[in-house]
Amino acid sequence: MSAHAHDGPRKGMILHGGTKLSDYFIFNTDHKVIGIQYFITSVFFFMIGGALAMLIRAELLTPNSDLGNYLGDGYEYNSLFTMHGSVMIFLWVIPILAAFANYLLPIQVGADDMAFPKLNATSYWTYFLGSVVMMAAFFVGRPAEQPLLWNIAVALVAIGTIMMLFGTFRVVGWMQMVGISLLSMGVFILWGPTAAAGNITILLTVLTVLMFVIGGRFGTERTSAYVLGCSLLILALCNLLGGASLGIPGAAAGGWTAYPPLSASQTANAPDGQTLWIIAVYILGMASQLGAINMIVTVARMRAPGLTMGRLPLFVWTVLAQSILVIGGTPVLGGTGLALLFERLYGMTFFTPADGGSALTYQHLFWFYSHPAVYIMVLPAMGLISEIFPILSKKPVFGYKAIAGSSMGITFFGFLVWGHHMFTSGMSPWLLMSFMLGSMAIGVPTGIKIFNWIATLWGGKITINSPMLFALGFLAMFVIGGVSGIMLAAVPFDLHVHDTYFVVAHFHYVLFGGTVFGVYGATYFWFPKVTGRMYNEPLGIIHWVLNFVGFNLAFLPMHWLGMMGMARRIGVYPEEFQYVNQLSSFGAFLLGIAAVPWLINLVWSAYRGKEAVGNPWGGLSLEWQTSSPPPIENFPEVPTVTHGPYDYGKGIKPPIVEELPAFQPIPAPAAD
Amino acid sequence: MSSHAIPLKEATIRNRQGLWLFFLTEVFLFGSFFVLRFSLWGDTRPELEQTAGLIATFVLLVSSLAMNRAEVAIAHGDKTKFRNNILVTFVLGAIFLGMILVYEWGALLGLHGEVLGIPVGHILPGDGVYGSVLYLMTGAHALHVLGGLVFIAITLFKGMRGDLTVKDHFFAEACALYWHFVDLVWVFFYPALYLIGHVVDIH
Ligand code: HEM
Ligand SMILES: [Cu+2]
């Protein structure tokens, strides 16, 4: 970043800061705008992932196949749960946490932005690109043999390329946009189940990245808006064309883990969908890595004067821990994905045992990333509720050092326990043993957090409102998920329930009961800060009740199903499981409905809610010491920190609780 | 207003930290290739052209030395020395890349027989795990070298245009660090590909 970084709302030609709605739709370097971009995009994908979950549960209402099984190989159901898992993990949970980290972290450390604002915007748009590629898989399939369509496609590619290039170099935005759209239309019609498909995607990716670079360098800021428009158009057009010309939609169906040899096979399931899936995961991983680098440097270099590491809000600690996990884990997934991609596209051999490869190596590499990834998915959510508890019970957090330190402990141990996903894959007994003990040991730092949260609440003046209810929900549900996790860490038990619904129950208690509950709570908690308006409390409580009941109804019975022996990833099951499955499905539908009051609340309150003050909860950390929403540079002047974020009961008056109009900086608090 | 103009020193520190974190991600990326190498090849390796490997490695190491001299030169404002040394780096890097392409990727590029008296590569990516790992590792590394060459070219251009000053030459520092990093990766790749394990017939 150059030394003359912030000259007003714009930096050169790139937009910085959101003052009107359209500012949120383009390449914008303001971390608050980027946070909101992440938020909206990932909530959109949450809805898609949720819709897929509803379809899964609808299919499981009866023991036989209801949703269709055209090829007789169960492909439809396989792709349902694969895409459900992938969308939820890569397009919802990880990015929604990035949304909170982007919005809150710079404010919480008292900085005016992230360390590398352009890189930050690039992370978001990389994520966006990855999500488009992942979604595109739904619309590619086996192209019908239609010569007319073929000719049209070739013509589209040719015209599209010329227009795009011309538009880019002469900075004629509409031409660039139309060009890219025509090009992609053509490409997607031409799509066949061949290696060429992969090459074209890589090419498209490179082109789009080039567009960004060129757009940012020479174009007007509107160029990026066109790129966004194009990506959306690609999706829409693929949808249309997919419906018109292609047979069966071909999303990946190898599970979210994409184990070879199935995922390396050129013929099984949907070959192009699987290829696209790998490319999408690679791109999404890049986005995470860029984000992690940014977070670490921001915390290391941009803390306000007086904000020592020991005074950092706990959320910052968890983001720091998460970023370390991303830096160590995600590149390994990237390297493994590349190998798998080359195996698919260029006839190379890494993981297919029949050709001399090693499927087990894939599992080791995959879980070396994906076990840390479960902490990538839960640590920041723990950070979010670590903010909610002390502030809403007006007590200093119990064991600040223990909570902060346990995040680092989890990070360290997180890299050493991946083998617990592979107990049935075959490994030497002494390895089984050490992975088992390691996995159980990781329960210790997690337990430390739980007990410290409870001790924080103990005897506090607890405000029971929507954020607090969800944080309490997190606590309760996460304990259940944690306990079933310890059970699964025991080899003898895991050998029985591996790949059954017990595992599905376990990780939903952690991911939904933990992370999603925490995120729900956080959306209420920081809603006044972000929007300058208050959410609707009764609606929030309705949301919580529906959610809590629906969640437990949907997932608690799955423990039984698993113990009874029902395998996961099956759409057709023995009749004796039907009753429990129906119970679970009804819970799931309730859970689906539960999202409605949340969405209504977010949208309605953002426009019609009561005006909020700068510090509605009486928080002591920095984000509560500026207006709601904060000004573009976050603080009118560099804040000085004189106390910890949760130093309640030490005579420090929570700053500013009076009403203040939006965008008015609030004077810094008087220190004691 | 708050820290609006970031002092040069601070900006450099941030950039440097970001760069090192980027290297860390790269370490893990290349690490995953190492895992593949050792799990799929174990204590065997395919037959590679030893002379070519040794020369290429030597060339790359010398290029790092030249790179270092170039960086020191620009830090002292010595443009001529900077230009000469960075040109040497570029040429040596290009020679390395060319040697990898000819003596390892030769079969893929359709070459036969010998080039400059050294037999060209005979392994194809489709040759089982040996071809696959070889092409994955050399390919990933070669891409980084290629990126480095572009980086060097831009640094040369900037340096000659006068954008890199004694006070502010982080760009050259980043370029040098990146180049050293890519070399370091090769220092690990070379034994993994050329030296460790006994030769087996891959066909
Ligand atoms: C709306 C509520 C949800 C319902 C009803 C639901 C339901 C299910 C069911 C029934 C399965 C098992 C499918 C099978 O194995 O045959 C499943 C798998 C999965 N779910 Fe969910 N889920 C929900 C939300 C979530 C969330 C929020 C996440 C992540 C944050 C998530 C992540 C996953 C993953 C990773 C899998 C494994 C996919 C695979 O086997 O490859 N789910 N879900
Ligand atoms: Cu795990």
Side-chain angles (χ1 to χ4, degrees), chain A residues 1 3 6 112 116 289 293 296-297 300-302 327-328 331-332 335 342 347-351 356 358 361 633 638, chain B residues 1-4 6 10 13-15 17-18 21-22 24-25 28-29 32-33 36 39-40 125-126 129 132 135-136:
Chain A
M1 212 180 68
H6 304 253
D112 59 348
F116 311 109
Q289 290 172 51
I293 292 175
I296 294 182
V297 179
R301 298 303 309 175
M302 297 181 71
I327 284 186
V332 175
F342 294 156
M348 293 161 87
T349 303
F350 297 100
F351 304 124
S358 159
T361 304
E633 62 279 11
V638 183
Chain B
M1 300 304 256
S2 62
S3 60
H4 274 187
I6 304 159
E10 175 60 26
I13 294 178
R14 285 182 199 169
N15 287 334
Q17 285 187 352
L21 287 169
F22 166 71
L24 203 56
T25 65
F28 281 91
L29 177 71
S32 66
F33 298 152
L36 281 173
S39 90
L40 296 180
V129 291
S132 305
Y135 274 84
L136 181 70

Side-chain angles (χ1 to χ4, degrees), chain B residues 39-118:
Chain B
S39 90
L40 296 180
W41 289 7
D43 62 350
T44 64
R45 62 180 163 87
E47 190 176 0
L48 293 175
E49 190 37 55
Q50 291 291 344
T51 326
L54 199 63
I55 297 176
T57 307
F58 183 72
V59 165
L60 198 61
L61 288 180
V62 174
S63 81
S64 237
L65 192 72
M67 188 72 213
N68 184 265
R69 287 167 61 88
E71 192 200 345
V72 173
I74 199 73
H76 289 88
D78 187 344
K79 263 194 183 179
T80 324
K81 197 172 157 205
F82 165 75
R83 187 196 59 207
N84 293 344
N85 276 294
I86 206 156
L87 272 175
V88 171
T89 317
F90 187 89
V91 171
L92 292 178
I95 292 176
F96 172 84
L97 196 60
M99 290 187 74
I100 295 295
L101 285 184
V102 171
Y103 299 115
E104 283 177 357
W105 289 42
L108 184 69
L109 303 179
L111 299 177
H112 301 286
E114 296 182 350
V115 171
L116 300 173
I118 303 175

Side-chain angles (χ1 to χ4, degrees), chain A residues 367 370-371 374-375 417-418 420-421:
Chain A
W367 288 111
S370 283
H371 183 78
V374 307
Y375 298 107
V417 297
W418 75 89
H420 60 218
H421 297 274

Side-chain angles (χ1 to χ4, degrees), chain A residues 416-649:
Chain A
L416 304 177
V417 297
W418 75 89
H420 60 218
H421 297 274
M422 301 167 56
F423 285 154
T424 57
S425 304
M427 62 175 101
S428 67
W430 65 269
L431 260 182
L432 279 181
M433 197 65 182
S434 34
F435 277 129
M436 170 170 128
L437 293 177
S439 306
M440 291 182 168
I442 213 167
V444 175
T446 314
I448 289 177
K449 281 193 196 298
I450 304 269
F451 285 117
N452 280 302
W453 286 326
I454 295 173
T456 302
L457 291 166
W458 198 274
K461 274 205 293 246
I462 299 178
T463 316
I464 292 289
N465 55 6
S466 310
M468 184 49 120
L469 284 174
F470 274 106
L472 290 171
F474 177 116
L475 198 58
M477 298 302 102
F478 192 80
V479 166
I480 299 182
V483 168
S484 60
I486 298 282
M487 291 164 77
L488 288 168
V491 177
F493 183 75
D494 182 74
L495 293 184
H496 283 278
V497 297
H498 179 82
D499 255 343
T500 68
Y501 261 83
F502 191 87
V503 175
V504 179
H506 156 68
F507 66 70
H508 282 89
Y509 265 87
V510 181
L511 281 175
F512 199 120
T515 307
V516 180
F517 272 51
V519 164
Y520 277 154
T523 52
Y524 292 120
F525 192 65
W526 279 281
F527 190 83
K529 180 49 59 187
V530 176
T531 61
R533 290 177 186 276
M534 207 49 165
Y535 63 86
N536 181 302
E537 192 67 67
L539 210 52
I541 292 178
I542 293 175
H543 172 215
W544 181 79
V545 172
L546 284 179
N547 210 48
F548 197 80
V549 175
F551 172 79
N552 283 297
L553 200 57
F555 294 107
L556 203 61
M558 288 187 191
H559 290 107
W560 275 273
L561 283 176
M563 303 277 251
M564 278 152 56
M566 177 164 163
R568 69 190 274 208
R569 296 177 170 171
I570 51 169
V572 178
Y573 57 84
E575 237 162 71
E576 70 241 48
F577 299 136
Q578 183 173 18
Y579 172 69
V580 188
N581 263 310
Q582 284 181 335
L583 203 64
S584 170
S585 287
F586 287 124
F589 299 147
L590 194 61
L591 194 52
I593 294 167
V596 176
W598 181 57
L599 291 177
I600 293 177
N601 206 343
L602 292 187
V603 176
W604 189 83
S605 305
Y607 291 99
R608 292 286 148 82
K610 213 164 74 23
E611 296 241 323
V613 296
N615 188 0
W617 315 120
L620 296 178
S621 45
L622 282 173
E623 82 266 35
W624 303 114
Q625 305 184 26
T626 183
S627 60
S628 298
I632 288 177
E633 62 279 11
N634 293 344
F635 300 94
E637 52 197 54
V638 183
T640 306
V641 181
T642 51
H643 52 74
Y646 317 108
D647 281 353
Y648 292 104

Side-chain angles (χ1 to χ4, degrees), chain A residues 31 34-40 42 94-104:
Chain A
H31 73 98
I34 295 170
I36 291 171
Q37 289 174 329
Y38 263 115
F39 186 88
I40 305 285
S42 51
I94 297 180
I96 190 69
L97 296 173
F100 281 100
N102 263 297
Y103 197 99
L104 292 176

